[in-house]
Amino acid sequence: LFYMKTGTEECLQEALEYFESAIYLLQMLGDEMNVLSAKKNIAKIEAKFNGDEIPHDEGNDLAFSQRQYKYWLGKLGEQHPITIRRGEMLAHALYCLNQGIAAERLLMKLAAISRQVHGPTHNCTLSATAALKDVKERRVFIDSRKQWFQALRYENEGLSCVVRGPVVDSMQEQEENMLTLSLPITDVFPGPGTPVVCQGLIERAHLNGKIGDTRGFNGGKFEVHFEEAGLEPATIEHENLRIVFQLP
């Protein structure tokens, strides 16, 4: 999903290979719902390669997933595998719309419920845990290298960010070329949907300490949508944002 959202030709190719492999495994498991989802994503990627636009509203996917999850939650309860699967689909729809915080919180809940009720080796638990691991990766674009890395932590009083990468699909290639770097925060740009917290704002000091996710980027500023009810989205300078590595 991350490669799909990034949209470069190389990232789209990575996403295409991933979804093609996933279809085979999902068919082996008999998971037809996620097979359909993977096929839909492949169609989107192929259209992008051809320069076509698919008339598709991802907001409709979100609304549909919300209705499905609510229905099965009421009918079967939160512990049933069908409900957990529908919850994972809802998290998928949220993540596709760069609503990273909501997706992560939902997956944390689903993984915990499945682990407690069905055990750590159940398909639902493994699937929700894998999805959560992917969503919790704080991927960042390193401007000086023009590559995507995974952010690990801040140091030097928040003026530097330790990153590891570059992010690639092949595990062998990943291990062979992996670097760990400490870079100035001016060189590290959070990816779409990354949880961030505001700091150092003067004119809008009421936003300091508020958590949101990045929905857009233009001219060195991020469009941030806040988790707290009642707070309107705001355009925030890159230097006034820090990545949230663990949601409170």
PDB file of all heavy atoms in Angstrom, residues 2 23 28 66 81 83 138 174 210 245:
ATOM      1  N   PHE A   2       1.939   1.231   0.778  1.00  0.00           N
ATOM      2  CA  PHE A   2       2.814   2.399   0.823  1.00  0.00           C
ATOM      3  C   PHE A   2       3.406   2.671  -0.557  1.00  0.00           C
ATOM      4  O   PHE A   2       3.429   3.809  -1.026  1.00  0.00           O
ATOM      5  CB  PHE A   2       3.933   2.174   1.840  1.00  0.00           C
ATOM      6  CG  PHE A   2       4.963   3.264   1.835  1.00  0.00           C
ATOM      7  CD1 PHE A   2       4.703   4.460   2.473  1.00  0.00           C
ATOM      8  CD2 PHE A   2       6.174   3.110   1.178  1.00  0.00           C
ATOM      9  CE1 PHE A   2       5.641   5.474   2.465  1.00  0.00           C
ATOM     10  CE2 PHE A   2       7.110   4.112   1.170  1.00  0.00           C
ATOM     11  CZ  PHE A   2       6.840   5.301   1.822  1.00  0.00           C
ATOM     12  N   ILE A  23      -2.071 -12.610  -4.227  1.00  0.00           N
ATOM     13  CA  ILE A  23      -3.262 -13.273  -4.754  1.00  0.00           C
ATOM     14  C   ILE A  23      -3.112 -14.791  -4.679  1.00  0.00           C
ATOM     15  O   ILE A  23      -4.044 -15.502  -4.271  1.00  0.00           O
ATOM     16  CB  ILE A  23      -3.536 -12.821  -6.205  1.00  0.00           C
ATOM     17  CG1 ILE A  23      -4.144 -11.415  -6.208  1.00  0.00           C
ATOM     18  CG2 ILE A  23      -4.473 -13.790  -6.916  1.00  0.00           C
ATOM     19  CD1 ILE A  23      -4.382 -10.847  -7.575  1.00  0.00           C
ATOM     20  N   MET A  28      -4.908 -19.717  -1.909  1.00  0.00           N
ATOM     21  CA  MET A  28      -4.600 -20.949  -1.184  1.00  0.00           C
ATOM     22  C   MET A  28      -5.336 -20.995   0.155  1.00  0.00           C
ATOM     23  O   MET A  28      -5.772 -22.050   0.610  1.00  0.00           O
ATOM     24  CB  MET A  28      -3.088 -21.048  -0.945  1.00  0.00           C
ATOM     25  CG  MET A  28      -2.267 -21.224  -2.214  1.00  0.00           C
ATOM     26  SD  MET A  28      -2.308 -22.903  -2.849  1.00  0.00           S
ATOM     27  CE  MET A  28      -1.322 -23.756  -1.620  1.00  0.00           C
ATOM     28  N   GLN A  66     -16.817   0.807   6.442  1.00  0.00           N
ATOM     29  CA  GLN A  66     -17.385   1.201   7.733  1.00  0.00           C
ATOM     30  C   GLN A  66     -18.732   0.536   7.979  1.00  0.00           C
ATOM     31  O   GLN A  66     -19.005   0.050   9.079  1.00  0.00           O
ATOM     32  CB  GLN A  66     -17.519   2.727   7.800  1.00  0.00           C
ATOM     33  CG  GLN A  66     -16.193   3.453   7.931  1.00  0.00           C
ATOM     34  CD  GLN A  66     -16.330   4.952   7.770  1.00  0.00           C
ATOM     35  OE1 GLN A  66     -17.201   5.441   7.039  1.00  0.00           O
ATOM     36  NE2 GLN A  66     -15.467   5.709   8.427  1.00  0.00           N
ATOM     37  N   PRO A  81     -14.012 -14.057  13.863  1.00  0.00           N
ATOM     38  CA  PRO A  81     -13.050 -13.859  12.767  1.00  0.00           C
ATOM     39  C   PRO A  81     -13.582 -13.013  11.617  1.00  0.00           C
ATOM     40  O   PRO A  81     -12.825 -12.224  11.027  1.00  0.00           O
ATOM     41  CB  PRO A  81     -12.757 -15.293  12.302  1.00  0.00           C
ATOM     42  CG  PRO A  81     -12.961 -16.128  13.518  1.00  0.00           C
ATOM     43  CD  PRO A  81     -14.117 -15.491  14.243  1.00  0.00           C
ATOM     44  N   THR A  83     -15.719 -10.533  11.792  1.00  0.00           N
ATOM     45  CA  THR A  83     -15.666  -9.136  12.232  1.00  0.00           C
ATOM     46  C   THR A  83     -14.242  -8.603  12.200  1.00  0.00           C
ATOM     47  O   THR A  83     -13.992  -7.478  11.764  1.00  0.00           O
ATOM     48  CB  THR A  83     -16.231  -9.000  13.654  1.00  0.00           C
ATOM     49  OG1 THR A  83     -17.543  -9.577  13.708  1.00  0.00           O
ATOM     50  CG2 THR A  83     -16.309  -7.540  14.069  1.00  0.00           C
ATOM     51  N   ARG A 138       7.411   3.985  10.196  1.00  0.00           N
ATOM     52  CA  ARG A 138       7.401   5.423   9.914  1.00  0.00           C
ATOM     53  C   ARG A 138       8.341   5.680   8.742  1.00  0.00           C
ATOM     54  O   ARG A 138       9.543   5.884   8.910  1.00  0.00           O
ATOM     55  CB  ARG A 138       7.846   6.204  11.152  1.00  0.00           C
ATOM     56  CG  ARG A 138       7.019   5.932  12.411  1.00  0.00           C
ATOM     57  CD  ARG A 138       5.541   6.174  12.188  1.00  0.00           C
ATOM     58  NE  ARG A 138       4.811   6.121  13.448  1.00  0.00           N
ATOM     59  CZ  ARG A 138       3.726   5.418  13.649  1.00  0.00           C
ATOM     60  NH1 ARG A 138       3.232   4.685  12.653  1.00  0.00           N
ATOM     61  NH2 ARG A 138       3.111   5.439  14.819  1.00  0.00           N
ATOM     62  N   GLN A 174      17.642  -5.884   0.739  1.00  0.00           N
ATOM     63  CA  GLN A 174      17.526  -4.987   1.872  1.00  0.00           C
ATOM     64  C   GLN A 174      18.703  -5.160   2.831  1.00  0.00           C
ATOM     65  O   GLN A 174      19.302  -4.196   3.280  1.00  0.00           O
ATOM     66  CB  GLN A 174      16.207  -5.264   2.606  1.00  0.00           C
ATOM     67  CG  GLN A 174      15.833  -4.212   3.635  1.00  0.00           C
ATOM     68  CD  GLN A 174      14.437  -4.426   4.178  1.00  0.00           C
ATOM     69  OE1 GLN A 174      13.897  -5.524   4.107  1.00  0.00           O
ATOM     70  NE2 GLN A 174      13.848  -3.406   4.720  1.00  0.00           N
ATOM     71  N   LYS A 210      -0.414  18.677  19.778  1.00  0.00           N
ATOM     72  CA  LYS A 210      -1.549  17.992  19.161  1.00  0.00           C
ATOM     73  C   LYS A 210      -1.052  17.013  18.093  1.00  0.00           C
ATOM     74  O   LYS A 210      -0.142  17.317  17.324  1.00  0.00           O
ATOM     75  CB  LYS A 210      -2.516  18.989  18.529  1.00  0.00           C
ATOM     76  CG  LYS A 210      -3.052  20.030  19.512  1.00  0.00           C
ATOM     77  CD  LYS A 210      -3.803  19.389  20.670  1.00  0.00           C
ATOM     78  CE  LYS A 210      -4.396  20.447  21.590  1.00  0.00           C
ATOM     79  NZ  LYS A 210      -5.071  19.843  22.771  1.00  0.00           N
ATOM     80  N   PHE A 245       6.367   8.083  17.107  1.00  0.00           N
ATOM     81  CA  PHE A 245       6.744   6.693  16.881  1.00  0.00           C
ATOM     82  C   PHE A 245       5.838   5.715  17.614  1.00  0.00           C
ATOM     83  O   PHE A 245       5.615   4.592  17.158  1.00  0.00           O
ATOM     84  CB  PHE A 245       8.201   6.471  17.304  1.00  0.00           C
ATOM     85  CG  PHE A 245       9.191   7.149  16.386  1.00  0.00           C
ATOM     86  CD1 PHE A 245       9.739   8.372  16.716  1.00  0.00           C
ATOM     87  CD2 PHE A 245       9.546   6.569  15.179  1.00  0.00           C
ATOM     88  CE1 PHE A 245      10.645   9.014  15.867  1.00  0.00           C
ATOM     89  CE2 PHE A 245      10.433   7.194  14.321  1.00  0.00           C
ATOM     90  CZ  PHE A 245      10.988   8.417  14.668  1.00  0.00           C
TER      91      PHE A 245
END
